């Protein structure tokens, strides 16, 4: 028996000690201090999503011009913050479950049976813990399209009935079996599924010709500067170009040419074992926390045991691109975009036609990146864009105390990125992106997650979730122990997303503004329901408005569950936030995905029902014991099925 599995969420996201970055470069909190030292039930969980570059900048500009100075861009009635077993949306809106873990994706797929799960069934069903959600219209239709969804990780204690044991108040989960491990691998990855709107409501199309499941065993191709390198070669793949599966895909993106981007994040937890003494990858893996040992897959699949296959971790931690228009296509891991704990990859077309991807490395004291393609986007030739991500420049950000921003290229042979420092080629720079950024003295951040560009303004919004490991308090920085996170606004020079210079401002410091020592900076127009902590994912909609979803709110920490908040970024209303939607107890609210016509908001709710000590006096042990015994009455139990939800306005019309 082991008691580690019930807490996979924290194991995957929490770094041991002060963080994995040993650099002494001033942290973002210290820089902020220097600069501002004076001043209908869901029965499941739901996932994350982000806006694409399909929004017309002219439409955004028109919306900005029409917005009265000092007036909020949002008019919906605010939801009351709180904690319970249901989900809640603003009055006048419907929140309908579209897909839940285990739902059929193909006409020949079996019905979901939680008491009789199998790898073969899960490969034909909607996966677990949906995070990123994207929508790609088909044939220009607003009523038909492809929904693309990441399945980040699995909570075995919520997936498999009867494996939880409680003894003397201690929660344990039985050791993994090979069958369970294979089911979990099939529940990872992603889903591509056609959906259609009929009578104002969305449903999946089970005979959709483009429907597809991607799992931890799907064949993939490594491309770009690190492809074929000896450090990516294994006993099973002497070419260093073929890898099976993708894991821990957090947020992601949709490219202007209509491909699906998956971002591999907390890969460390999937590996176990010990490297041979003095192995060349030891420092590289330590910087990423490999091996983390959260999962036990290595007991059954040797490639996840570094003592048996020491190069396998180098084949994960990449951005993955999927051609959704060809369900037989081989997904590609794009090594030119760097290897780290990728949160997402939101893109925007720069004025000169190059495409810019913003990339957060979700770890305490790690960095903000962007990738600029060498080639230009051709809107009239999709085929010409299909390998744009193999050639370009990866930059890392340095934020200075005066409000300036410098994007530093991670290019072999420039500055310290030389053979003398262990980088023999660009492949080495990409495999060890974090160490390269350390040497460039990039600014360590407080868990950079989603980064959303606004194509009309040349600005981008960086979600910084929290950093309770930062201990260097001083009078000028009341938020050294940054429990609630903040949002940074990047202002690219001349509004050019490909620029290497810019500026930055704090949009808002999160937390309860009524508690002075928290130091929250929401607008005074923000109500007791409108403030939040732990910003995670975000979207900029077709009218240029910012929506923020959260990860980590709870009864104990903030007196509310996670949810989706609308945040004003312009005029006198700047910094005003209001609650639009909130999730059930134990769930995480992953990124929002508004459709281009603003008639639907797809959202994803992860691991609902997890953490039962957070509601109505449940103790963690008694909660898990109760959950396990209630499994036979699955649909009547507290929600445990992650789900994607479609939010629409009653009677039709735009959201907001």
């Amino acid at each position: 028996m082991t008691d580690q599995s019930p807490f996979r969420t924290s194991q995957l996201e929490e770094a041991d000690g002060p963080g994995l970055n040993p650099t002494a470069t001033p942290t973002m909190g210290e820089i902020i201090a220097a600069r501002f030292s004076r001043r209908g039930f869901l029965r499941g969980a739901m996932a994350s999503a982000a806006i694409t570059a399909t929004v017309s900048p002219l439409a955004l500009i028109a919306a900005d011009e029409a917005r009265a100075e000092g007036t909020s861009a949002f008019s919906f009635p605010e939801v009351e913050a709180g904690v319970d077993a249901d989900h809640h949306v603003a009055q006048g809106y419907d929140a309908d479950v579209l897909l839940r873990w285990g739902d059929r994706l193909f006409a020949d797929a079996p019905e979901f049976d939680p008491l009789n799960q199998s790898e073969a069934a899960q490969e034909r069903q909607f996966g677990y813990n949906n995070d990123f959600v994207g929508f790609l219209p088909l044939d220009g239709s607003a009523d038909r399209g492809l929904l693309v969804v990441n399945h980040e990780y699995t909570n075995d204690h919520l997936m498999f009935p009867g494996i939880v044991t409680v003894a003397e108040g201690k929660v344990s989960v039985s050791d993994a079996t090979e069958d369970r491990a294979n089911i979990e691998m099939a529940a990872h990855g992603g889903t591509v599924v056609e959906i259609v709107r009929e009578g104002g409501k969305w449903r999946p199309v089970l005979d959709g010709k483009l429907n597809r499941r991607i799992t931890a065993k799907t064949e993939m191709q490594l491309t770009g500067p690190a492809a074929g390198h000896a450090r990516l070669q294994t006993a099973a793949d002497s070419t260093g170009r073929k890898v099976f599966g993708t894991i821990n895909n957090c947020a992601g993106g949709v490219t202007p040419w209509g491909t699906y981007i998956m971002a591999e994040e907390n890969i460390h937890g999937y590996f176990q074992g010990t490297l041979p003494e003095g192995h060349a990858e030891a420092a590289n893996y330590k910087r990423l926390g490999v091996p983390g040992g959260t999962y036990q897959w290595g007991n059954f699949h040797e490639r996840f045991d570094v003592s048996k296959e020491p190069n396998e971790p180098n084949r994960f931690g990449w951005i993955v691109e999927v051609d959704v228009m060809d369900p037989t296509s081989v997904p590609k891991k794009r090594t030119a975009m760097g290897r780290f704990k990728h949160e997402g990859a939101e893109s925007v077309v720069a004025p000169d036609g190059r495409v810019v991807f913003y990339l957060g490395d979700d770890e305490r004291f790690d960095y903000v990146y962007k990738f600029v393609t060498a080639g230009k986007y051709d809107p009239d030739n999709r085929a010409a864009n299909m390998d744009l991500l193999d050639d370009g420049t990866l930059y890392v950000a340095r934020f200075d105390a005066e409000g300036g921003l410098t994007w530093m290229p991670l290019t072999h042979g420039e500055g310290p990125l030389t053979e003398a420092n262990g980088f023999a080629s660009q492949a080495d720079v990409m495999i060890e992106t974090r160490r390269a950024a350390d040497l460039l003295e990039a600014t360590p951040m407080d868990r950079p997650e989603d980064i959303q560009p606004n194509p009309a303004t040349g600005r981008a919004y960086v979600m910084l979730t929290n950093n309770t490991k930062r201990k260097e308090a001083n009078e000028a920085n009341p938020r050294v122990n940054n429990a609630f996170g903040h949002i940074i606004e990047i202002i690219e020079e001349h509004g050019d997303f490909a620029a290497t210079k810019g500026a930055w401002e704090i949009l808002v410091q999160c937390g309860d503004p009524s508690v002075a020592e928290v130091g929250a900076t929401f607008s005074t127009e923000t109500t007791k329901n409108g403030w939040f902590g732990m910003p995670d994912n975000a979207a900029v909609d077709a009218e240029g408005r910012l929506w923020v979803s959260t990860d980590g709110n709870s009864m104990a920490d903030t007196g509310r569950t996670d949810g989706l908040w609308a945040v004003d970024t312009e005029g006198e209303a700047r910094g005003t936030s209001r609650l639009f939607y909130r999730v059930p107890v134990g769930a995480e609210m992953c990124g929002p995905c508004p459709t281009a016509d603003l008639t639907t908001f797809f959202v994803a709710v992860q691991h609902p029902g997890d953490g039962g000590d957070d509601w109505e006096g449940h103790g963690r042990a008694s909660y898990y014991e109760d959950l396990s015994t209630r499994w036979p009455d699955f649909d009547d139990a507290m929600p445990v099925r992650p789900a994607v939800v479609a939010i629409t306005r009653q009677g039709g019309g735009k959201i907001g």
Side-chain angles (χ1 to χ4, degrees), residues 112-273:
F112 180 59
D113 181 356
L115 300 175
N116 188 32
Q117 299 180 55
S118 71
E119 178 184 14
Q122 180 63 83
E123 288 175 341
R124 307 289 284 173
Q125 297 165 337
F126 193 64
Y128 200 80
N129 267 348
N130 31 242
D131 197 298
F132 172 76
V133 178
F135 178 74
L136 297 92
L138 288 174
D139 301 322
S141 172
D143 297 317
R144 195 176 193 93
L146 292 178
L147 196 74
V148 294
V149 184
N150 283 354
H151 301 296
E152 185 179 5
Y153 64 97
T154 49
N155 295 94
D156 55 355
H157 61 295
L158 297 179
M159 289 180 68
F160 303 106
I163 69 170
V164 175
T165 301
V166 180
E168 299 180 354
K170 185 177 181 180
V171 181
S172 297
V173 172
S174 61
D175 289 333
T177 65
E178 186 171 3
D179 283 346
R180 264 172 45 197
N182 288 332
I183 292 167
E184 288 190 278
M185 293 177 78
H188 276 68
T191 288
V192 179
V193 59
E194 185 176 343
I195 60 173
V196 63
R197 178 164 50 186
E198 297 172 339
K201 301 295 183 181
W202 293 91
R203 66 169 179 84
V205 179
L206 297 188
D207 58 355
K209 295 180 180 179
L210 301 177
N211 291 4
R212 179 178 190 179
R213 271 301 321 280
I214 295 165
T215 75
K217 294 185 179 181
T218 300
E219 181 181 334
M220 301 192 173
Q221 180 184 359
L222 289 152
T223 70
H229 195 280
R231 298 174 71 178
L232 272 63
Q233 295 171 7
T234 64
D237 172 31
S238 61
T239 70
R241 296 180 181 273
K242 181 197 294 187
V243 61
F244 288 97
T246 182
I247 52 178
N248 210 264
N249 296 104
C250 197
V254 173
T255 67
W257 51 95
T259 56
Y260 163 34
I261 298 295
M262 309 169 75
E264 296 182 326
E265 189 189 37
N266 290 304
I267 63 163
H268 60 290
Y270 297 83
F271 295 94
Q272 62 188 55

Side-chain angles (χ1 to χ4, degrees), residues 508-584:
V508 66
Q509 293 180 174
C510 304
D512 186 349
S514 70
V515 181
E517 56 266 29
V518 168
T521 61
F522 288 99
S523 156
T524 56
E525 297 300 311
T526 300
T527 72
K528 65 178 182 179
N529 300 309
W531 65 267
F532 57 84
M534 304 81 165
D536 186 345
N537 298 125
V540 172
D541 68 23
E543 294 185 355
R545 302 175 302 180
L546 180 65
W547 301 79
V548 175
S549 66
T550 61
D551 173 15
N553 290 269
S554 66
M555 177 64 79
D557 291 336
T558 59
R560 61 203 58 208
T561 61
D562 286 320
L564 177 61
W565 278 263
V567 181
D568 281 292
T569 60
E570 306 295 333
E572 294 180 9
R574 180 179 169 90
T576 302
S577 173
R578 65 173 70 185
L579 179 58
F580 179 65
Y581 173 84
R582 66 176 170 92
V583 300

